[in-house]
Amino acid sequence: MTDDLRERLTAVRTEVAKAVVGQEAAVSGLIVALLARGHVLLEGVPGVAKTLLVRSLSASLALETTRVQFTPDLMPGDVTGSTVFDAASGRFDFRQGPVFTNLLLADEINRTPPKTQSALLEAMEERQVTVDGVSRPLPDPFLVAATQNPVEYEGTYTLPEAQLDRFLMKLVLDLPERDQEVEVLVRHAGGFDPRDLAAAGLRPVLTPEELRRARVAVQEVRVSPDVLGYVVDLVRGTRAAPSVQLGVSPRGAAGLLAAARAWAWLRGAPALTPDHVQDMALPVLRHRIRLRPEAELEGVSVDAVLRSIIATVQVPL
């Protein structure tokens, strides 16, 4: 049964590849986030298929998906829902917002003010929404996939550390290689329409119930005390690095453990190893670190700092 679930998740990658060329690492990261019950921040310049990637994943998973275009005039109630007066019944009724879904695509999340950004905090952490003192649970599974543009800052609002820390991982979508870009144009020349995924042949290959069973199977991956100590040492290494102003919190350590365990299960490993932890370290930790201003002026990158820490922290035998 476990092998069958793993094969179905592998089939998800095949389905997504019908619409998205390349970006295998981002697809794997999204699947890991689903298994680890985490949220994902997708960063990349316009036109690298961030939105298409999320829509393709949804189409291959039979999940209910809603998309919210975050803009400066978006209000918290536009995301969570609000209580409105029904003249016919003479009472106030709650109308659900787009957050009541399985997969929420928060497009250009950094284009909306902090007040609206914070409307997602409770949903991401508690899997519920509280409006007018009443808490309402969100569907399960629930995942927020938020996109942001790293090069255009005019009219944007930087995500606060408290909200960044709620994302399990930050995935960076790079520009495609030449042969991949040629393949994109070949598909478009052949009539591919990114707005019509059904015509591209995408079909659901995994149900929500199967996803829940896969999450249970992930918990069977054994974790030794030595590997737990290695996770903690990596996280503590970020706090001691000279170029880091703010290191990774204990929530980040728990997220790294969850993501690495899901990755180990996907790879068919019975136990978690330091290699699995290292594979997940950059996407899970990169957005939880704030560099010192002088380090940023010198051109130091967060990923370079993390690679240095991974290279220096002793690996358990």
Side-chain angles (χ1 to χ4, degrees):
M1 180 62 71
T2 297
D3 290 340
D4 179 60
L5 291 172
R6 195 178 291 114
E7 289 175 4
R8 285 182 177 274
L9 281 162
T10 301
V12 169
R13 300 183 190 180
T14 303
E15 291 300 309
V16 173
K18 293 178 181 178
V20 180
V21 177
Q23 308 297 2
E24 289 85 0
V27 176
S28 296
L30 283 166
I31 293 174
V32 166
L34 280 167
L35 289 172
R37 294 174 58 85
H39 308 288
V40 177
L41 182 62
L42 298 168
E43 185 175 275
V45 298
V48 292
K50 298 186 294 296
T51 303
L52 179 61
L53 175 60
V54 177
R55 291 177 53 239
S56 302
L57 179 71
S58 170
S60 63
L61 288 175
L63 297 179
E64 180 183 351
T65 304
T66 56
R67 177 178 180 269
V68 178
Q69 183 67 49
F70 280 71
T71 56
D73 60 348
L74 195 72
M75 300 297 292
D78 297 329
V79 178
T80 61
S82 57
T83 303
V84 297
F85 180 73
D86 187 346
S89 63
R91 66 186 183 191
F92 288 92
D93 294 326
F94 177 72
R95 292 186 180 176
Q96 294 183 349
V99 74
F100 286 87
T101 187
N102 296 125
L103 182 56
L104 176 66
L105 173 55
D107 220 352
E108 295 188 292
I109 190 173
N110 58 332
R111 287 203 175 277
T112 199
K115 181 178 180 180
T116 305
Q117 291 176 4
S118 65
L120 282 176
L121 278 175
E122 181 186 16
M124 294 171 68
E125 184 67 21
E126 306 295 337
R127 263 67 176 184
Q128 67 177 24
V129 167
T130 301
V131 178
D132 294 334
V134 179
S135 297
R136 296 173 173 86
L138 296 173
D140 182 43
F142 173 70
L143 179 143
V144 174
T147 70
Q148 69 174 10
N149 181 347
V151 295
E152 185 181 359
Y153 295 106
E154 184 176 353
T156 63
Y157 303 84
T158 303
L159 292 177
E161 268 70 23
Q163 182 149 10
L164 282 173
D165 209 33
R166 262 67 175 190
F167 286 99
L168 175 66
M169 51 178 64
K170 175 182 174 181
L171 304 174
V172 179
L173 278 68
D174 296 319
L175 290 169
E177 300 291 338
R178 183 183 184 279
D179 57 339
Q180 294 175 337
E181 199 160 0
V182 169
E183 174 62 24
V184 170
L185 295 186
V186 167
R187 294 189 181 188
H188 280 270
F192 171 71
D193 183 358
R195 290 169 290 276
D196 188 0
L197 296 180
L202 269 77
R203 60 186 179 87
V205 294
L206 190 76
T207 66
E209 177 57 33
E210 289 169 333
L211 177 59
R212 283 188 280 269
R213 294 209 305 269
R215 287 174 169 177
V216 173
V218 167
Q219 302 307 310
E220 298 173 2
V221 175
R222 300 189 304 275
V223 185
S224 69
D226 286 343
V227 176
L228 286 177
Y230 180 62
V231 172
V232 171
D233 289 342
L234 284 177
V235 168
R236 292 178 68 85
T238 67
R239 303 170 196 163
S243 56
V244 174
Q245 184 179 56
L246 179 66
V248 178
S249 69
R251 181 189 283 124
L256 179 54
L257 173 62
R261 209 173 184 185
W263 180 237
W265 180 83
L266 276 175
R267 302 294 296 271
L272 187 64
T273 69
D275 287 339
H276 299 131
V277 176
Q278 292 177 5
D279 288 343
M280 290 292 105
L282 263 65
V284 173
L285 303 182
R286 59 162 58 110
H287 59 294
R288 307 174 193 268
I289 293 175
R290 182 194 294 173
L291 296 178
R292 296 185 183 278
E294 55 269 27
E296 292 181 340
L297 289 173
E298 293 173 1
V300 176
S301 70
V302 170
D303 282 10
V305 172
L306 284 171
R307 290 190 181 97
S308 175
I309 293 170
I310 292 171
T312 55
V313 171
Q314 184 175 357
V315 178
L317 300 176

